[in-house]
Coordinates of all heavy atoms in Angstrom, one line a residue:
L651 N -9.8 -26.9 -15.1 CA -9.3 -25.8 -14.3 C -7.7 -25.9 -14.3 O -7.2 -26.8 -13.9 CB -9.8 -25.8 -12.9 CG -9.3 -24.6 -12.0 CD1 -9.8 -23.3 -12.5 CD2 -9.8 -24.8 -10.5
E652 N -7.1 -24.9 -15.0 CA -5.7 -24.9 -15.1 C -5.1 -23.6 -14.6 O -5.7 -22.5 -14.6 CB -5.3 -25.1 -16.6 CG -3.8 -25.3 -16.8 CD -3.5 -25.9 -18.2 OE1 -4.4 -26.6 -18.8 OE2 -2.4 -25.6 -18.7
F653 N -3.8 -23.7 -14.1 CA -3.2 -22.5 -13.5 C -2.1 -22.1 -14.5 O -1.0 -22.6 -14.5 CB -2.6 -22.9 -12.1 CG -3.7 -23.3 -11.2 CD1 -3.9 -24.7 -11.0 CD2 -4.4 -22.4 -10.5 CE1 -4.9 -25.1 -10.1 CE2 -5.4 -22.8 -9.6 CZ -5.7 -24.1 -9.4
W654 N -2.4 -21.0 -15.3 CA -1.6 -20.7 -16.4 C -0.3 -20.0 -16.0 O 0.7 -20.2 -16.7 CB -2.3 -19.7 -17.4 CG -2.8 -18.4 -16.8 CD1 -4.0 -18.2 -16.2 CD2 -2.1 -17.2 -16.7 NE1 -4.1 -16.9 -15.8 CE2 -3.0 -16.2 -16.1 CE3 -0.8 -16.8 -17.1 CZ2 -2.6 -14.9 -15.8 CZ3 -0.5 -15.5 -16.8 CH2 -1.3 -14.6 -16.2
L655 N -0.2 -19.5 -14.8 CA 1.1 -18.9 -14.4 C 2.1 -19.9 -14.1 O 3.3 -19.6 -14.0 CB 0.9 -18.0 -13.1 CG 0.3 -16.6 -13.4 CD1 -0.1 -15.9 -12.1 CD2 1.2 -15.8 -14.2
N656 N 1.7 -21.2 -13.9 CA 2.7 -22.3 -13.7 C 3.5 -22.5 -15.0 O 4.5 -23.1 -15.0 CB 2.0 -23.6 -13.3 CG 1.3 -23.5 -11.9 OD1 1.6 -22.6 -11.2 ND2 0.5 -24.5 -11.6
H657 N 2.9 -22.1 -16.1 CA 3.6 -22.3 -17.4 C 4.1 -21.1 -18.1 O 4.6 -21.1 -19.2 CB 2.5 -23.0 -18.4 CG 1.8 -24.1 -17.7 ND1 2.4 -25.3 -17.3 CD2 0.5 -24.3 -17.4 CE1 1.5 -26.1 -16.8 NE2 0.3 -25.5 -16.8
V658 N 4.0 -20.0 -17.4 CA 4.5 -18.7 -18.0 C 5.7 -18.2 -17.3 O 5.7 -18.0 -16.0 CB 3.4 -17.6 -17.9 CG1 3.9 -16.3 -18.5 CG2 2.1 -18.1 -18.8
E659 N 6.8 -18.0 -18.0 CA 8.1 -17.7 -17.3 C 8.2 -16.2 -17.1 O 8.9 -15.7 -16.2 CB 9.2 -18.1 -18.2 CG 9.4 -19.7 -18.2 CD 10.6 -20.1 -19.0 OE1 11.3 -19.2 -19.5 OE2 10.8 -21.3 -19.1
D660 N 7.5 -15.4 -17.9 CA 7.5 -13.9 -17.7 C 6.2 -13.3 -17.9 O 5.3 -13.9 -18.6 CB 8.6 -13.3 -18.6 CG 8.2 -13.5 -20.1 OD1 7.5 -12.6 -20.6 OD2 8.7 -14.5 -20.7
E661 N 6.0 -12.1 -17.4 CA 4.7 -11.5 -17.5 C 4.3 -11.1 -18.9 O 3.1 -10.9 -19.1 CB 4.7 -10.2 -16.6 CG 5.7 -9.2 -17.1 CD 5.7 -7.9 -16.2 OE1 5.1 -8.0 -15.1 OE2 6.4 -6.9 -16.6
H662 N 5.2 -11.1 -19.8 CA 4.8 -10.7 -21.2 C 4.0 -11.8 -21.9 O 3.4 -11.6 -22.9 CB 6.1 -10.5 -22.0 CG 6.9 -9.4 -21.5 ND1 6.5 -8.1 -21.5 CD2 8.2 -9.4 -20.9 CE1 7.5 -7.3 -20.9 NE2 8.5 -8.1 -20.6
G663 N 4.0 -13.0 -21.3 CA 3.3 -14.1 -21.9 C 1.9 -14.3 -21.2 O 1.3 -15.3 -21.5
M664 N 1.5 -13.3 -20.5 CA 0.2 -13.6 -19.7 C -1.0 -13.6 -20.5 O -2.0 -14.2 -20.2 CB 0.1 -12.6 -18.5 CG -0.3 -11.3 -18.8 SD -0.4 -10.3 -17.3 CE -1.6 -9.1 -17.8
L665 N -1.0 -12.8 -21.6 CA -2.2 -12.8 -22.5 C -1.8 -13.4 -23.8 O -1.3 -12.8 -24.7 CB -2.7 -11.3 -22.7 CG -3.4 -10.6 -21.6 CD1 -3.7 -9.2 -22.0 CD2 -4.7 -11.4 -21.2
Q666 N -2.0 -14.7 -23.9 CA -1.7 -15.4 -25.2 C -2.8 -16.5 -25.4 O -3.5 -16.8 -24.6 CB -0.3 -16.0 -25.1 CG -0.1 -16.9 -23.9 CD 1.3 -17.4 -23.8 OE1 2.0 -17.5 -24.8 NE2 1.8 -17.8 -22.6
R667 N -2.8 -16.9 -26.7 CA -3.8 -17.9 -27.1 C -3.7 -19.2 -26.3 O -2.5 -19.6 -26.1 CB -3.8 -18.1 -28.6 CG -3.9 -16.9 -29.4 CD -3.9 -17.2 -30.9 NE -4.0 -16.0 -31.7 CZ -4.3 -15.9 -33.0 NH1 -4.5 -17.1 -33.6 NH2 -4.3 -14.8 -33.6
P668 N -4.8 -19.9 -26.1 CA -4.7 -21.2 -25.4 C -4.1 -22.3 -26.4 O -3.5 -23.2 -26.0 CB -6.1 -21.5 -25.1 CG -7.0 -20.7 -25.9 CD -6.2 -19.4 -26.2
S669 N -4.2 -22.1 -27.7 CA -3.6 -22.9 -28.7 C -3.4 -22.1 -30.0 O -3.9 -21.0 -30.1 CB -4.5 -24.2 -28.9 OG -5.7 -23.8 -29.6
R670 N -2.8 -22.7 -31.0 CA -2.5 -22.0 -32.2 C -3.7 -21.6 -32.9 O -3.8 -20.5 -33.5 CB -1.6 -22.9 -33.1 CG -1.0 -22.1 -34.2 CD 0.1 -22.9 -35.0 NE 1.2 -23.3 -34.1 CZ 2.2 -24.1 -34.4 NH1 2.2 -24.6 -35.6 NH2 3.2 -24.3 -33.6
E671 N -4.8 -22.4 -32.8 CA -6.0 -22.1 -33.6 C -7.1 -21.3 -32.8 O -7.9 -20.6 -33.3 CB -6.7 -23.4 -34.1 CG -5.8 -24.2 -35.0 CD -4.8 -25.1 -34.3 OE1 -5.0 -25.3 -33.1 OE2 -3.8 -25.5 -34.9
K672 N -7.1 -21.6 -31.5 CA -8.2 -21.1 -30.6 C -7.9 -19.7 -30.0 O -6.8 -19.4 -29.7 CB -8.3 -22.2 -29.5 CG -9.5 -21.9 -28.6 CD -10.8 -22.3 -29.2 CE -12.0 -22.1 -28.3 NZ -13.3 -22.3 -28.9
L673 N -9.0 -19.0 -29.9 CA -9.0 -17.7 -29.2 C -9.8 -17.8 -27.9 O -10.5 -18.8 -27.7 CB -9.6 -16.6 -30.1 CG -8.8 -16.2 -31.3 CD1 -9.6 -15.3 -32.2 CD2 -7.5 -15.5 -31.0
W674 N -9.7 -16.8 -27.1 CA -10.4 -16.8 -25.8 C -11.8 -16.5 -26.0 O -12.2 -15.5 -26.7 CB -9.7 -15.8 -24.8 CG -8.3 -16.1 -24.5 CD1 -7.2 -15.5 -24.9 CD2 -7.8 -17.2 -23.6 NE1 -6.1 -16.0 -24.4 CE2 -6.4 -17.1 -23.6 CE3 -8.4 -18.2 -22.9 CZ2 -5.6 -18.0 -22.9 CZ3 -7.6 -19.0 -22.1 CH2 -6.2 -18.9 -22.1
T675 N -12.7 -17.2 -25.3 CA -14.1 -16.9 -25.2 C -14.4 -15.7 -24.3 O -15.2 -14.9 -24.5 CB -14.9 -18.1 -24.8 OG1 -14.6 -19.2 -25.6 CG2 -16.4 -17.8 -24.8
A676 N -13.7 -15.7 -23.2 CA -13.8 -14.6 -22.2 C -12.5 -14.4 -21.5 O -11.7 -15.3 -21.3 CB -14.8 -15.0 -21.2
I677 N -12.2 -13.1 -21.3 CA -11.0 -12.7 -20.5 C -11.4 -11.9 -19.4 O -12.2 -10.9 -19.6 CB -10.0 -11.9 -21.4 CG1 -9.5 -12.9 -22.5 CG2 -8.8 -11.4 -20.6 CD1 -8.5 -12.2 -23.5
I678 N -11.1 -12.3 -18.2 CA -11.5 -11.6 -16.9 C -10.3 -10.7 -16.5 O -9.2 -11.1 -16.2 CB -11.8 -12.6 -15.8 CG1 -12.9 -13.6 -16.3 CG2 -12.2 -11.9 -14.6 CD1 -13.0 -14.8 -15.4
L679 N -10.6 -9.4 -16.5 CA -9.6 -8.4 -16.1 C -9.9 -7.9 -14.7 O -11.1 -7.6 -14.3 CB -9.6 -7.2 -17.0 CG -9.1 -7.5 -18.5 CD1 -9.1 -6.2 -19.3 CD2 -7.8 -8.2 -18.5

Side-chain angles (χ1 to χ4, degrees):
L651 182 62
E652 190 164 330
F653 300 95
W654 59 269
L655 282 171
N656 292 351
H657 313 294
V658 177
E659 293 182 359
D660 63 87
E661 61 183 9
H662 301 294
M664 79 177 202
L665 286 175
Q666 54 186 335
R667 302 181 184 196
S669 67
R670 192 171 296 177
E671 300 83 15
K672 184 76 179 175
L673 290 170
W674 298 104
T675 304
I677 296 177
I678 304 165
L679 296 181

